[in-house]
Amino acid sequence: MRKRETKIHLAAAQAPLFACPVCGQPLQVTAGSLVCVNGHVRDFSHKGTLNFLNQQVATEYTTPMLAARRRMLNAGLFTPFLAAMAAKLPKHQRLLDVGCGEGTPTAYLAEAGQQTAVGFDISSPAINLAGGLAAPVLFAVADLAHLPFVNDAFDTVTDIFSPGNYREFRRVLRPDGQLLKIIPRAGYLREIREGLYSGTAKAVYNNEPVLKRFLAAFPDASQETITYDFPLAPTQFGDLMAMTPLTWQAPADQRDQMLAAPPISIHIDVDLLTVSHLVK
Ligand SMILES: [Zn+2]
């Protein structure tokens, strides 16, 4: 079966899952499109992806940056914390991955956790790349502030380094559902932070404001720190520099210096925040 048909079948089997971005009514699969009772239509692309934005939004993520990110993720840069997340997923449930980027983590979680998964991002180049993955995941361009899903649609919401809209997360999670969020800690990409911004305010990062905001919204959340050093082949460092927004505003000479003498490993230091049983 062609990719587009596979995704249409997947969406039909899960309906009602998506909500109309114009009127909020549930969308049903009709003749290969998503249609609401008011006749608003969203079509599947040839890759089977969806677009729920009424207006396109330009982001700083270009296809070469996203491709560099995919190479690093395929090399296993995030695998230890993705495995910790996958271990928390009850099998055969419905997962939403927020701000999924080029989709490699979503595909990993869907396969390792045997989930029916949806990934969305505001970047259409990211979703275009995600649409090329073989995993049975529905990928969509959508806005964090207006999630195109019906209420109580998901058993789990995952959020890896993405901004959170906790009101919307709460709305699309079922009662007793779970929320898994990854936030960076002070040591995340330490070598790059120190190499590019030594002596400036950007050399240090503190996740306290993000953590506080999360715990204010979800006081019962638990917090688990995951830390490791990922070994880097010399040729991988350019990809690492390209994939992270941390480097984009760095002075050119500092970047060149780092690229000329890359570190042998990169420090990964994150918190996994878990809400196990959402009270609605
Ligand atoms: Zn509608």
Side-chain angles (χ1 to χ4, degrees):
M1 209 184 302
R2 285 178 54 228
K3 184 161 270 170
R4 183 171 180 275
E5 277 68 51
T6 309
K7 300 290 171 102
I8 291 170
H9 277 267
L10 188 57
Q14 297 297 320
L17 169 61
F18 293 103
C20 176
V22 181
C23 68
Q25 291 297 314
L27 290 161
Q28 302 287 350
V29 175
T30 308
S33 295
L34 287 172
V35 186
C36 78
V37 287
N38 295 316
H40 303 126
V41 179
R42 282 293 184 276
D43 284 321
F44 291 84
S45 73
H46 69 281
K47 288 181 175 174
T49 62
L50 291 155
N51 191 332
F52 290 99
L53 290 189
N54 295 318
Q55 261 186 328
Q56 291 316 301
V57 176
T59 71
E60 288 176 300
Y61 288 87
T62 63
T63 302
M65 286 169 190
L66 293 160
R69 188 174 190 87
R70 174 168 291 178
R71 285 191 293 271
M72 288 309 297
L73 300 193
N74 281 338
L77 182 65
F78 290 170
T79 303
F81 70 72
L82 290 174
M85 295 173 83
K88 290 177 183 275
L89 299 173
K91 305 293 179 211
H92 310 296
Q93 292 204 337
R94 214 189 244 179
L95 170 93
L96 174 66
D97 188 25
V98 169
C100 68
E102 53 69 52
T104 302
T106 326
Y108 177 94
L109 293 170
E111 280 164 355
Q114 296 174 33
Q115 305 289 296
T116 299
V118 177
F120 81 87
D121 202 280
I122 199 151
S123 156
S124 50
I127 293 304
N128 186 43
L129 266 180
L133 293 168
V137 178
L138 290 165
F139 285 108
V141 182
D143 179 359
L144 187 69
H146 305 283
L147 297 183
F149 309 107
V150 298
N151 296 348
D152 302 350
F154 296 96
D155 303 291
T156 302
V157 168
T158 55
D159 168 353
I160 301 170
F161 300 133
S162 255
N165 183 315
Y166 301 143
R167 190 177 50 85
E168 278 292 83
F169 290 4
R170 209 173 254 289
R171 181 181 68 77
V172 302
L173 268 173
R174 68 163 166 82
D176 211 34
Q178 90 176 320
L179 171 58
L180 305 175
K181 181 173 172 71
I182 293 282
I183 62 171
R185 287 168 49 85
Y188 181 67
L189 305 182
R190 185 172 58 202
E191 292 81 359
I192 292 182
R193 201 174 280 282
E194 288 170 357
L196 293 181
Y197 300 111
S198 176
T200 75
K202 274 193 162 179
V204 275
Y205 172 76
N206 182 350
N207 73 8
E208 196 66 30
V210 179
L211 187 58
K212 259 195 178 153
R213 198 180 141 245
F214 187 84
L215 292 175
F218 304 105
D220 298 336
S222 65
Q223 180 182 355
E224 179 187 338
T225 297
I226 302 172
T227 298
Y228 52 94
D229 290 293
F230 183 80
L232 287 171
T235 50
Q236 282 176 321
F237 191 65
D239 278 345
L240 187 67
M241 290 277 274
M243 71 169 260
T244 169
L246 184 60
T247 68
W248 298 348
Q249 266 112 45
D253 51 340
Q254 235 85 340
R255 285 172 60 109
D256 292 347
Q257 261 178 36
M258 280 213 89
L259 286 165
I264 56 164
S265 66
I266 188 79
H267 196 60
I268 302 294
D269 182 19
V270 298
D271 278 327
L272 169 54
L273 309 177
T274 302
V275 179
S276 314
H277 301 282
L278 181 75
V279 179
K280 292 188 87 164

